[in-house]
């Protein structure tokens, strides 16, 4: 879909549909909606008066214009209560409105910039939010489905504004929105892609193509190199599969220093069967998405490379499959990480923390002064927080607050979980330095506690995204399936860091 900026009166916009809006409870529409209402001979006010439409969030009213305005149709989108209105509502409303219009076969759509009128939200921010809502809300994953005869995607979205002075701002906001939304959609594609196609090697190839498109360097470390570095935990997980592991390292240099300012680490298990501690078959197909953290990190790096903040960011994604076979890791095995710690592998299904242990050591070796990792790490986190919030864990409250603020700003909800020292007991092993499971209690916390051993003193936030990366029903601008969480948070963390925000 093409997104263009047009200086034009809404009444003269020619296209299949025009989107205007209404706040909940407003009886007499004003502004652009008022002008359209008048041109339509009061059709909108009539629908309001008759109680058919009242501007509730998520509702829409579709009218045919019969030539009274230049657009074929007008869609009035409910903005919800004015007190609750914000950029997140703009994204939701735009995504929903465009999905309705797509169902009606509209190809060319114009929209006003919701809430950017006098005294409202900034026009640049609204242009970004409209763009994000549009691209995120219209996302589909249909590459394996036969195209329907009447399949007609929306081709063009025009952002309509009346004041020429705002053109540059709207272009800028929309440009940023496109970079961010396309990154989120890339992560969604990678999560939705089945594991027979998205192998560790394919994920590495994706990282390489992201690197090529931006100012990024990409290093793919193979099995030999991992052996040389002593990444025994990562190699242990990978050894049951015929496909070799890869360590994907992407670096962005926007700052003057040589060292990275920020390290992003993402779990890249392209399929998690559980290994010898095999999972029940029901729902196992969802484990094609066990690389969602890695996908988010790679996609976020692509966006960072385009936005070009003045800092250095390094991303690390350990990618492999977790499968049972004659060569697979077995319960009771002991593996050694690159920093020399030994791990008793009590359950081979707790593989994410094993691959991350070596990846976090590597991040430390590269000199990352602060870290964020994203991983579909535990079912326990899904039990605790459902699919509404990701779990957040830290060893540094100041860094947590900054990452939390970034997540909040982009509408990706997180909830901080405890990290008391008492939980450490649960992962102490009789035969090694640590064991990879901590029993039934507080499973998401003991997993984070395990990771904490490998980050040492570096300020670090771990995001357990097991419950938030795949949605079982559509919501707002997030269709069913992969959500793309936490791509937006990771981008925002980098931008805030570059802007020196504390
Ligand atoms: N990839 C899973 C976690 C997961 C569960 C992600 C549900 C998405 C949805 C992880 O590797 C895993 O299997 N964790 C185990 C850990 C247990 C053996 C300590 C779990 O949560 O059951
Ligand atoms: Zn597992
Ligand atoms: Zn897993």
């Amino acid at each position: 879909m093409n997104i263009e900026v047009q200086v034009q009166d809404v009444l003269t916009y020619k296209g299949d549909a025009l989107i205007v809006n209404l706040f909940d409870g407003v009886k007499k529409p004003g502004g652009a909606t008022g002008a359209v209402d008048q041109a339509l001979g009061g059709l909108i006010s009539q629908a309001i008066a008759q109680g058919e439409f009242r501007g509730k969030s998520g509702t829409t009213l579709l009218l045919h214009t019969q030539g009274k305005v230049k657009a074929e149709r007008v869609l009035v989108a409910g903005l919800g209560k004015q007190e609750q209105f914000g950029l997140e509502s703009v994204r939701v409303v735009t995504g929903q409105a465009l999905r309705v219009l797509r169902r009606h076969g509209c190809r060319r759509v114009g929209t006003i910039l919701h809430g950017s009128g006098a005294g409202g939200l900034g026009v640049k921010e609204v242009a970004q939010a409209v763009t994000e809502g549009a691209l995120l809300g219209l996302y589909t994953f249909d590459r394996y489905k036969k195209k329907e005869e009447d399949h007609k995607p929306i081709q063009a979205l025009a952002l309509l504004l009346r004041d020429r002075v705002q053109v540059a701002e709207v272009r800028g906001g929309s440009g940023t929105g496109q970079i961010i939304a396309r990154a989120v959609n890339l992560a969604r594609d990678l999560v939705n892609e089945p594991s027979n196609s998205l192998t560790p090697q394919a994920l590495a190839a994706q990282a390489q193509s992201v690197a090529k498109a931006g100012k990024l360097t990409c290093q793919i470390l193979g099995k030999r190199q991992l052996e040389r570095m002593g990444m025994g935990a990562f190699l242990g997980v990978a050894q049951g599969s015929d496909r070799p592991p890869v360590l994907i390292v992407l670096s962005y240099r926007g700052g003057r220093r040589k060292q990275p300012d920020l390290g992003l680490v993402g779990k890249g298990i392209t399929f998690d069967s559980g290994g010898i501690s095999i999972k029940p078959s029901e729902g196992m197909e969802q484990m094609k998405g066990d690389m969602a953290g890695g996908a988010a990190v790679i996609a976020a790096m692509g966006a960072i490379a385009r936005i070009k903040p003045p800092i250095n960011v390094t991303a690390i994604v350990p990618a492999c499959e977790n499968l049972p076979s004659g060569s697979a890791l077995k319960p009771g095995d002991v593996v050694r990480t690159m920093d020399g710690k030994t791990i008793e592998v009590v359950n081979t299904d707790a593989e994410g923390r094993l691959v991350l242990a070596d990846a976090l050591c590597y991040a430390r070796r590269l000199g990352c002064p602060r870290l964020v990792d994203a991983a579909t790490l535990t079912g326990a986190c899904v039990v605790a927080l459902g699919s509404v919030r990701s779990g957040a864990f830290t060893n540094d409250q100041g860094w947590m607050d900054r990452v939390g603020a970034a997540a909040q700003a982009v509408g990706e909800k997180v909830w901080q979980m405890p990290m008391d020292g008492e939980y450490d007991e649960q992962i102490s092993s009789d035969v090694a330095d640590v064991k990879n499971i901590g029993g039934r209690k507080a499973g998401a916390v003991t997993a984070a506690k395990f990771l904490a051993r490998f980050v040492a003193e570096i300020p670090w936030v771990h995001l357990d995204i097991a419950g938030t990366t795949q949605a079982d029903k559509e919501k707002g601008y997030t269709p069913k399936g992969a959500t793309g969480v936490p791509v937006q948070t990771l981008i925002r963390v980098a931008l805030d860091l570059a802007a020196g925000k504390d």
Side-chain angles (χ1 to χ4, degrees):
M1 182 176 64
N2 231 337
I3 299 179
E4 50 215 43
V5 179
Q6 280 180 33
V7 181
Q8 193 171 23
D9 191 278
V10 288
L11 300 180
T12 62
Y13 169 75
K14 269 189 206 156
D16 299 316
L18 168 71
I19 303 173
V20 293
N21 63 44
L22 191 77
F23 276 114
D24 193 345
V26 171
K27 291 274 154 5
K28 191 88 198 123
T33 311
V36 170
D37 184 37
Q38 214 166 34
L40 296 179
L43 261 186
I44 300 173
S45 326
Q46 197 185 346
I48 299 169
Q50 292 178 345
E52 201 180 317
F53 183 70
R54 50 170 291 187
K56 264 184 65 176
S57 168
T59 63
T60 53
L61 173 71
L62 185 62
L63 301 165
H64 282 260
T65 60
Q66 299 184 313
K68 290 180 188 130
V69 305
K70 286 283 188 301
E72 288 274 343
R73 301 167 189 81
V74 164
L75 183 92
V76 192
L79 296 185
K81 294 242 169 11
Q82 189 145 18
E83 313 85 75
Q84 286 157 16
F85 182 74
L87 291 173
E88 183 65 6
S89 349
V90 175
R91 284 191 274 262
V92 171
V93 161
T94 307
Q96 279 167 340
L98 285 167
R99 277 210 295 267
V100 170
L101 294 174
R102 179 173 59 191
R103 276 202 296 279
H104 285 267
C106 298
R107 321 283 311 259
R108 304 190 57 83
V109 178
T111 182
I112 61 167
L113 294 168
H114 313 290
S116 66
L121 304 167
V123 72
K124 184 171 172 194
E125 286 72 27
V126 172
Q128 181 177 335
V130 165
T131 304
E132 289 170 356
L135 291 169
L136 296 175
L138 289 173
Y139 173 84
T140 53
F141 183 75
D142 52 11
R143 58 176 299 209
Y144 292 106
K145 286 178 82 115
K146 187 162 144 274
K147 289 273 170 294
E148 304 269 335
E149 284 294 316
D150 57 353
H151 174 79
K152 288 190 202 138
I154 294 180
Q155 284 176 333
L157 176 68
L159 310 182
L160 305 175
L161 62 160
R162 295 182 60 172
D163 198 344
R164 193 163 286 286
V165 179
Q166 296 176 324
V167 170
E169 272 191 288
V170 171
R171 282 230 171 91
S174 179
T176 306
Q178 288 189 48
I179 291 171
I180 293 172
R182 292 197 203 283
V184 174
N185 286 344
L186 168 62
R188 288 173 173 179
D189 273 344
L190 298 177
V191 169
N192 284 326
E193 191 67 29
S195 76
N196 57 341
S197 150
L198 194 82
T199 60
Q201 287 61 42
L203 188 61
Q206 288 284 335
Q208 278 168 323
S209 82
V210 164
K212 226 172 148 192
K215 182 189 164 193
L216 292 174
T217 55
C218 181
Q219 248 184 311
I220 308 294
L221 309 184
K223 189 162 169 246
R224 284 281 111 69
Q225 287 156 296
L226 304 179
E227 281 165 358
R228 232 176 289 134
M229 289 191 298
M231 294 198 176
F234 180 21
L235 286 162
V237 173
Q239 76 192 29
S241 166
D242 291 341
R243 296 193 170 102
V246 284
L247 186 75
I248 302 166
V249 184
L250 284 170
S251 336
Y252 164 74
R253 273 202 67 184
R256 292 220 197 95
R257 303 177 338 121
K258 248 196 118 115
Q259 305 267 303
D261 298 291
L262 170 66
L264 303 175
V265 178
K267 172 176 172 181
I269 299 293
T270 58
F271 189 78
D272 180 14
S273 70
I276 295 297
S277 313
I278 198 160
K279 289 179 179 296
S281 46
E282 196 182 320
M284 202 202 273
E285 74 285 353
Q286 285 188 21
M287 288 301 127
K288 69 176 183 178
D290 209 21
M291 30 50 72
V297 162
I298 292 168
M301 288 298 281
I304 291 167
R306 291 213 158 92
I307 300 173
K308 300 189 173 64
I311 52 166
N312 300 338
V313 188
T314 295
I316 300 164
V317 178
C320 70
E321 297 183 316
N322 185 23
L323 295 178
S325 77
S327 62
L329 204 59
K330 302 176 291 299
D333 288 359
V334 174
V335 294
R336 193 183 292 274
T337 51
M338 83 181 272
D339 67 346
K341 292 194 186 73
T342 55
I343 304 169
E344 182 190 4
V345 180
V346 179
N347 189 316
T348 64
D349 196 11
E351 85 298 340
R353 63 198 79 179
L354 297 175
V355 303
L356 288 172
D358 274 322
L360 291 166
C361 289
Y362 191 65
R364 193 153 37 110
R365 172 86 52 98
L366 293 182
C368 297
R370 44 185 85 75
L371 293 170
V372 179
D373 84 67
T376 45
L377 204 63
T378 67
C381 194
V382 190
V383 173
L385 301 174
S387 49
V388 179
R389 287 178 186 262
S390 304
F393 306 77
T394 191
N395 59 358
D396 183 304
Q397 195 57 43
W399 181 228
M400 177 69 245
D401 292 344
R402 293 166 75 173
V403 175
Q408 164 94 29
V410 299
E412 292 179 339
K413 296 182 177 180
V414 303
W415 190 259
Q416 190 179 351
M417 304 284 274
M419 286 287 271
D420 301 270
E422 288 95 318
Y423 291 107
D424 272 306
E425 242 174 69
Q426 288 175 241
I427 51 171
S428 77
S429 164
D430 293 335
V431 302
D433 296 331
V434 64
K435 64 179 178 184
N436 80 330
I437 59 166
R440 264 170 32 85
K441 295 178 177 175
V445 180
T446 51
K449 274 288 181 185
F450 178 96
L451 297 182
R453 305 265 180 123
F454 300 90
V455 291
E457 306 299 307
I458 307 168
W460 154 80
V461 168
H462 155 59
L463 298 173
D464 191 334
I465 54 173
T468 48
T469 51
Q470 281 176 278
D472 40 30
K473 54 178 193 290
E474 81 170 41
K475 182 174 169 246
Y477 51 86
T478 308
K480 190 173 162 181
T483 61
V485 166
V487 172
Q488 300 190 63
T489 301
L490 299 177
I491 298 169
R492 188 62 172 244
V493 165
L495 299 184
D496 285 354
L497 189 64
K501 260 190 214 163
D502 279 315

